[in-house]
mmCIF file of all heavy atoms in Angstrom:
data_model
loop_
_atom_site.group_PDB
_atom_site.id
_atom_site.type_symbol
_atom_site.label_atom_id
_atom_site.label_comp_id
_atom_site.label_asym_id
_atom_site.label_seq_id
_atom_site.Cartn_x
_atom_site.Cartn_y
_atom_site.Cartn_z
ATOM 1 N N VAL A 1 0.862 -1.172 0.000
ATOM 2 C CA VAL A 1 0.000 0.000 0.000
ATOM 3 C C VAL A 1 0.900 1.223 0.000
ATOM 4 O O VAL A 1 1.753 1.388 0.862
ATOM 5 C CB VAL A 1 -0.921 0.019 1.238
ATOM 6 C CG1 VAL A 1 -1.747 1.288 1.277
ATOM 7 C CG2 VAL A 1 -1.800 -1.208 1.241
ATOM 8 N N SER A 2 0.706 2.056 -0.992
ATOM 9 C CA SER A 2 1.497 3.274 -1.079
ATOM 10 C C SER A 2 0.787 4.376 -0.326
ATOM 11 O O SER A 2 -0.417 4.592 -0.496
ATOM 12 C CB SER A 2 1.672 3.666 -2.544
ATOM 13 O OG SER A 2 2.367 4.881 -2.641
ATOM 14 N N ARG A 3 1.540 5.051 0.494
ATOM 15 C CA ARG A 3 0.948 6.143 1.265
ATOM 16 C C ARG A 3 1.408 7.458 0.668
ATOM 17 O O ARG A 3 2.578 7.670 0.448
ATOM 18 C CB ARG A 3 1.365 6.062 2.721
ATOM 19 C CG ARG A 3 0.809 4.842 3.406
ATOM 20 C CD ARG A 3 1.156 4.839 4.848
ATOM 21 N NE ARG A 3 0.610 3.624 5.448
ATOM 22 C CZ ARG A 3 0.689 3.362 6.709
ATOM 23 N NH1 ARG A 3 1.269 4.189 7.525
ATOM 24 N NH2 ARG A 3 0.180 2.257 7.194
ATOM 25 N N GLY A 4 0.473 8.316 0.438
ATOM 26 C CA GLY A 4 0.786 9.629 -0.091
ATOM 27 C C GLY A 4 0.291 10.707 0.849
ATOM 28 O O GLY A 4 -0.385 10.436 1.830
ATOM 29 N N LEU A 5 0.638 11.907 0.522
ATOM 30 C CA LEU A 5 0.230 13.040 1.342
ATOM 31 C C LEU A 5 -1.124 13.527 0.861
ATOM 32 O O LEU A 5 -1.293 13.852 -0.310
ATOM 33 C CB LEU A 5 1.264 14.165 1.242
ATOM 34 C CG LEU A 5 0.967 15.431 2.020
ATOM 35 C CD1 LEU A 5 0.937 15.125 3.515
ATOM 36 C CD2 LEU A 5 2.015 16.472 1.726
ATOM 37 N N ASN A 6 -2.077 13.548 1.744
ATOM 38 C CA ASN A 6 -3.399 14.072 1.433
ATOM 39 C C ASN A 6 -3.582 15.385 2.162
ATOM 40 O O ASN A 6 -3.297 15.482 3.351
ATOM 41 C CB ASN A 6 -4.496 13.102 1.890
ATOM 42 C CG ASN A 6 -4.505 11.836 1.088
ATOM 43 O OD1 ASN A 6 -4.169 11.843 -0.085
ATOM 44 N ND2 ASN A 6 -4.882 10.741 1.722
ATOM 45 N N ARG A 7 -4.030 16.367 1.439
ATOM 46 C CA ARG A 7 -4.303 17.650 2.070
ATOM 47 C C ARG A 7 -5.781 17.954 1.957
ATOM 48 O O ARG A 7 -6.379 17.793 0.908
ATOM 49 C CB ARG A 7 -3.511 18.763 1.393
ATOM 50 C CG ARG A 7 -2.045 18.647 1.631
ATOM 51 C CD ARG A 7 -1.335 19.824 1.061
ATOM 52 N NE ARG A 7 0.092 19.643 1.278
ATOM 53 C CZ ARG A 7 0.923 20.616 1.471
ATOM 54 N NH1 ARG A 7 0.506 21.843 1.445
ATOM 55 N NH2 ARG A 7 2.193 20.378 1.661
ATOM 56 N N THR A 8 -6.317 18.407 3.031
ATOM 57 C CA THR A 8 -7.706 18.839 3.023
ATOM 58 C C THR A 8 -7.740 20.274 3.501
ATOM 59 O O THR A 8 -6.973 20.670 4.381
ATOM 60 C CB THR A 8 -8.578 17.976 3.958
ATOM 61 O OG1 THR A 8 -8.037 18.019 5.264
ATOM 62 C CG2 THR A 8 -8.652 16.542 3.481
ATOM 63 N N SER A 9 -8.596 21.034 2.884
ATOM 64 C CA SER A 9 -8.737 22.419 3.326
ATOM 65 C C SER A 9 -10.170 22.623 3.781
ATOM 66 O O SER A 9 -11.107 22.091 3.202
ATOM 67 C CB SER A 9 -8.378 23.388 2.205
ATOM 68 O OG SER A 9 -9.266 23.227 1.121
ATOM 69 N N LYS A 10 -10.301 23.368 4.802
ATOM 70 C CA LYS A 10 -11.621 23.667 5.344
ATOM 71 C C LYS A 10 -11.921 25.124 5.076
ATOM 72 O O LYS A 10 -11.133 26.003 5.404
ATOM 73 C CB LYS A 10 -11.657 23.402 6.851
ATOM 74 C CG LYS A 10 -11.495 21.958 7.205
ATOM 75 C CD LYS A 10 -11.579 21.759 8.697
ATOM 76 C CE LYS A 10 -11.413 20.308 9.054
ATOM 77 N NZ LYS A 10 -11.471 20.094 10.495
ATOM 78 N N GLN A 11 -13.056 25.342 4.437
ATOM 79 C CA GLN A 11 -13.484 26.701 4.171
ATOM 80 C C GLN A 11 -14.787 26.930 4.909
ATOM 81 O O GLN A 11 -15.730 26.150 4.793
ATOM 82 C CB GLN A 11 -13.682 26.924 2.672
ATOM 83 C CG GLN A 11 -14.009 28.343 2.341
ATOM 84 C CD GLN A 11 -14.066 28.566 0.839
ATOM 85 O OE1 GLN A 11 -13.756 27.692 0.064
ATOM 86 N NE2 GLN A 11 -14.486 29.735 0.447
ATOM 87 N N SER A 12 -14.811 27.982 5.649
ATOM 88 C CA SER A 12 -15.985 28.289 6.429
ATOM 89 C C SER A 12 -17.117 28.725 5.500
ATOM 90 O O SER A 12 -16.934 29.555 4.623
ATOM 91 C CB SER A 12 -15.658 29.402 7.419
ATOM 92 O OG SER A 12 -16.806 29.740 8.139
ATOM 93 N N VAL A 13 -18.293 28.167 5.706
ATOM 94 C CA VAL A 13 -19.451 28.503 4.884
ATOM 95 C C VAL A 13 -20.203 29.689 5.479
ATOM 96 O O VAL A 13 -20.843 30.450 4.756
ATOM 97 C CB VAL A 13 -20.387 27.277 4.775
ATOM 98 C CG1 VAL A 13 -21.626 27.589 3.983
ATOM 99 C CG2 VAL A 13 -19.642 26.113 4.160
ATOM 100 N N HIS A 14 -20.114 29.893 6.770
ATOM 101 C CA HIS A 14 -20.916 30.936 7.396
ATOM 102 C C HIS A 14 -20.401 32.340 7.094
ATOM 103 O O HIS A 14 -21.174 33.292 7.100
ATOM 104 C CB HIS A 14 -21.023 30.707 8.904
ATOM 105 C CG HIS A 14 -19.768 30.963 9.664
ATOM 106 N ND1 HIS A 14 -18.792 30.021 9.809
ATOM 107 C CD2 HIS A 14 -19.329 32.071 10.309
ATOM 108 C CE1 HIS A 14 -17.808 30.529 10.517
ATOM 109 N NE2 HIS A 14 -18.100 31.757 10.832
ATOM 110 N N GLU A 15 -19.115 32.503 6.797
ATOM 111 C CA GLU A 15 -18.593 33.841 6.532
ATOM 112 C C GLU A 15 -19.221 34.491 5.299
ATOM 113 O O GLU A 15 -19.697 35.635 5.381
ATOM 114 C CB GLU A 15 -17.065 33.807 6.407
ATOM 115 C CG GLU A 15 -16.369 33.583 7.724
ATOM 116 C CD GLU A 15 -14.862 33.513 7.576
ATOM 117 O OE1 GLU A 15 -14.327 33.929 6.532
ATOM 118 O OE2 GLU A 15 -14.234 33.034 8.517
ATOM 119 N N PRO A 16 -19.277 33.816 4.141
ATOM 120 C CA PRO A 16 -19.924 34.447 2.986
ATOM 121 C C PRO A 16 -21.404 34.752 3.221
ATOM 122 O O PRO A 16 -21.922 35.786 2.774
ATOM 123 C CB PRO A 16 -19.762 33.427 1.861
ATOM 124 C CG PRO A 16 -18.673 32.515 2.286
ATOM 125 C CD PRO A 16 -18.659 32.554 3.774
ATOM 126 N N ILE A 17 -22.084 33.857 3.945
ATOM 127 C CA ILE A 17 -23.504 34.082 4.220
ATOM 128 C C ILE A 17 -23.683 35.304 5.116
ATOM 129 O O ILE A 17 -24.558 36.147 4.881
ATOM 130 C CB ILE A 17 -24.135 32.821 4.854
ATOM 131 C CG1 ILE A 17 -24.138 31.684 3.837
ATOM 132 C CG2 ILE A 17 -25.542 33.099 5.365
ATOM 133 C CD1 ILE A 17 -24.553 30.344 4.388
ATOM 134 N N LEU A 18 -22.843 35.427 6.146
ATOM 135 C CA LEU A 18 -22.921 36.591 7.026
ATOM 136 C C LEU A 18 -22.609 37.888 6.269
ATOM 137 O O LEU A 18 -23.269 38.911 6.487
ATOM 138 C CB LEU A 18 -21.967 36.435 8.210
ATOM 139 C CG LEU A 18 -22.414 35.451 9.291
ATOM 140 C CD1 LEU A 18 -21.322 35.298 10.351
ATOM 141 C CD2 LEU A 18 -23.699 35.916 9.940
ATOM 142 N N LEU A 19 -21.607 37.853 5.405
ATOM 143 C CA LEU A 19 -21.284 39.047 4.615
ATOM 144 C C LEU A 19 -22.440 39.436 3.699
ATOM 145 O O LEU A 19 -22.767 40.628 3.559
ATOM 146 C CB LEU A 19 -20.013 38.817 3.789
ATOM 147 C CG LEU A 19 -18.709 38.804 4.590
ATOM 148 C CD1 LEU A 19 -17.548 38.402 3.705
ATOM 149 C CD2 LEU A 19 -18.456 40.181 5.195
ATOM 150 N N PHE A 20 -23.073 38.454 3.069
ATOM 151 C CA PHE A 20 -24.211 38.734 2.208
ATOM 152 C C PHE A 20 -25.366 39.327 3.026
ATOM 153 O O PHE A 20 -25.987 40.338 2.630
ATOM 154 C CB PHE A 20 -24.663 37.456 1.496
ATOM 155 C CG PHE A 20 -25.880 37.644 0.655
ATOM 156 C CD1 PHE A 20 -25.812 38.305 -0.562
ATOM 157 C CD2 PHE A 20 -27.115 37.186 1.088
ATOM 158 C CE1 PHE A 20 -26.936 38.488 -1.332
ATOM 159 C CE2 PHE A 20 -28.249 37.369 0.325
ATOM 160 C CZ PHE A 20 -28.166 38.019 -0.882
ATOM 161 N N ALA A 21 -25.666 38.731 4.174
ATOM 162 C CA ALA A 21 -26.760 39.229 5.015
ATOM 163 C C ALA A 21 -26.468 40.633 5.518
ATOM 164 O O ALA A 21 -27.362 41.502 5.553
ATOM 165 C CB ALA A 21 -26.977 38.283 6.196
ATOM 166 N N LEU A 22 -25.222 40.909 5.888
ATOM 167 C CA LEU A 22 -24.836 42.241 6.352
ATOM 168 C C LEU A 22 -24.984 43.277 5.242
ATOM 169 O O LEU A 22 -25.476 44.389 5.472
ATOM 170 C CB LEU A 22 -23.394 42.218 6.878
ATOM 171 C CG LEU A 22 -22.891 43.502 7.517
ATOM 172 C CD1 LEU A 22 -23.760 43.896 8.709
ATOM 173 C CD2 LEU A 22 -21.445 43.349 7.936
ATOM 174 N N SER A 23 -24.571 42.902 4.023
ATOM 175 C CA SER A 23 -24.704 43.850 2.921
ATOM 176 C C SER A 23 -26.174 44.094 2.559
ATOM 177 O O SER A 23 -26.559 45.215 2.225
ATOM 178 C CB SER A 23 -23.902 43.401 1.701
ATOM 179 O OG SER A 23 -24.229 42.099 1.335
ATOM 180 N N VAL A 24 -27.031 43.069 2.638
ATOM 181 C CA VAL A 24 -28.467 43.261 2.395
ATOM 182 C C VAL A 24 -29.057 44.170 3.464
ATOM 183 O O VAL A 24 -29.868 45.070 3.166
ATOM 184 C CB VAL A 24 -29.199 41.900 2.339
ATOM 185 C CG1 VAL A 24 -30.710 42.075 2.380
ATOM 186 C CG2 VAL A 24 -28.787 41.122 1.106
ATOM 187 N N LEU A 25 -28.649 43.981 4.722
ATOM 188 C CA LEU A 25 -29.127 44.816 5.802
ATOM 189 C C LEU A 25 -28.708 46.270 5.598
ATOM 190 O O LEU A 25 -29.521 47.197 5.756
ATOM 191 C CB LEU A 25 -28.605 44.295 7.151
ATOM 192 C CG LEU A 25 -29.018 45.097 8.385
ATOM 193 C CD1 LEU A 25 -30.531 45.042 8.585
ATOM 194 C CD2 LEU A 25 -28.294 44.584 9.608
ATOM 195 N N CYS A 26 -27.446 46.480 5.229
ATOM 196 C CA CYS A 26 -26.966 47.845 4.978
ATOM 197 C C CYS A 26 -27.717 48.487 3.817
ATOM 198 O O CYS A 26 -28.096 49.662 3.878
ATOM 199 C CB CYS A 26 -25.461 47.840 4.679
ATOM 200 S SG CYS A 26 -24.455 47.514 6.140
ATOM 201 N N ALA A 27 -27.938 47.713 2.763
ATOM 202 C CA ALA A 27 -28.676 48.241 1.603
ATOM 203 C C ALA A 27 -30.110 48.607 2.009
ATOM 204 O O ALA A 27 -30.634 49.649 1.588
ATOM 205 C CB ALA A 27 -28.672 47.224 0.474
ATOM 206 N N ALA A 28 -30.728 47.792 2.828
ATOM 207 C CA ALA A 28 -32.096 48.073 3.275
ATOM 208 C C ALA A 28 -32.144 49.328 4.131
ATOM 209 O O ALA A 28 -33.057 50.165 3.986
ATOM 210 C CB ALA A 28 -32.644 46.884 4.048
ATOM 211 N N LEU A 29 -31.153 49.503 5.020
ATOM 212 C CA LEU A 29 -31.112 50.711 5.850
ATOM 213 C C LEU A 29 -30.869 51.951 4.999
ATOM 214 O O LEU A 29 -31.485 53.002 5.232
ATOM 215 C CB LEU A 29 -30.034 50.565 6.930
ATOM 216 C CG LEU A 29 -30.335 49.570 8.055
ATOM 217 C CD1 LEU A 29 -29.115 49.420 8.966
ATOM 218 C CD2 LEU A 29 -31.543 50.021 8.857
ATOM 219 N N LEU A 30 -29.951 51.863 4.066
ATOM 220 C CA LEU A 30 -29.696 53.000 3.174
ATOM 221 C C LEU A 30 -30.945 53.345 2.358
ATOM 222 O O LEU A 30 -31.307 54.518 2.213
ATOM 223 C CB LEU A 30 -28.524 52.692 2.233
ATOM 224 C CG LEU A 30 -27.136 52.730 2.862
ATOM 225 C CD1 LEU A 30 -26.100 52.220 1.873
ATOM 226 C CD2 LEU A 30 -26.786 54.132 3.326
ATOM 227 N N TYR A 31 -31.590 52.344 1.827
ATOM 228 C CA TYR A 31 -32.809 52.570 1.040
ATOM 229 C C TYR A 31 -33.863 53.230 1.904
ATOM 230 O O TYR A 31 -34.526 54.189 1.494
ATOM 231 C CB TYR A 31 -33.317 51.223 0.492
ATOM 232 C CG TYR A 31 -34.576 51.355 -0.321
ATOM 233 C CD1 TYR A 31 -34.539 51.801 -1.643
ATOM 234 C CD2 TYR A 31 -35.810 51.047 0.246
ATOM 235 C CE1 TYR A 31 -35.684 51.924 -2.378
ATOM 236 C CE2 TYR A 31 -36.964 51.173 -0.483
ATOM 237 C CZ TYR A 31 -36.906 51.610 -1.799
ATOM 238 O OH TYR A 31 -38.055 51.743 -2.527
ATOM 239 N N ARG A 32 -34.031 52.758 3.125
ATOM 240 C CA ARG A 32 -35.032 53.305 4.027
ATOM 241 C C ARG A 32 -34.724 54.759 4.387
ATOM 242 O O ARG A 32 -35.609 55.611 4.369
ATOM 243 C CB ARG A 32 -35.075 52.464 5.298
ATOM 244 C CG ARG A 32 -36.083 52.938 6.296
ATOM 245 C CD ARG A 32 -36.128 52.009 7.493
ATOM 246 N NE ARG A 32 -36.754 52.714 8.571
ATOM 247 C CZ ARG A 32 -36.370 52.712 9.812
ATOM 248 N NH1 ARG A 32 -35.338 51.996 10.169
ATOM 249 N NH2 ARG A 32 -37.006 53.382 10.733
#
């Protein structure tokens, strides 16, 4: 059995969602 180097990367899913929600909130406040 040959063993190789496996790399896994973890990317947070909540950060893009929070940024999108924050920008929608800011847009709504500005519009209001």
Side-chain angles (χ1 to χ4, degrees):
V1 176
S2 177
R3 294 184 181 184
L5 179 63
N6 292 328
R7 292 185 182 212
T8 57
S9 63
K10 294 182 180 179
Q11 185 174 354
S12 178
V13 178
H14 71 275
E15 288 178 16
I17 294 172
L18 285 175
L19 287 173
F20 176 75
L22 186 59
S23 53
V24 168
L25 179 64
C26 288
L29 289 174
L30 286 172
Y31 179 79
R32 180 177 162 223

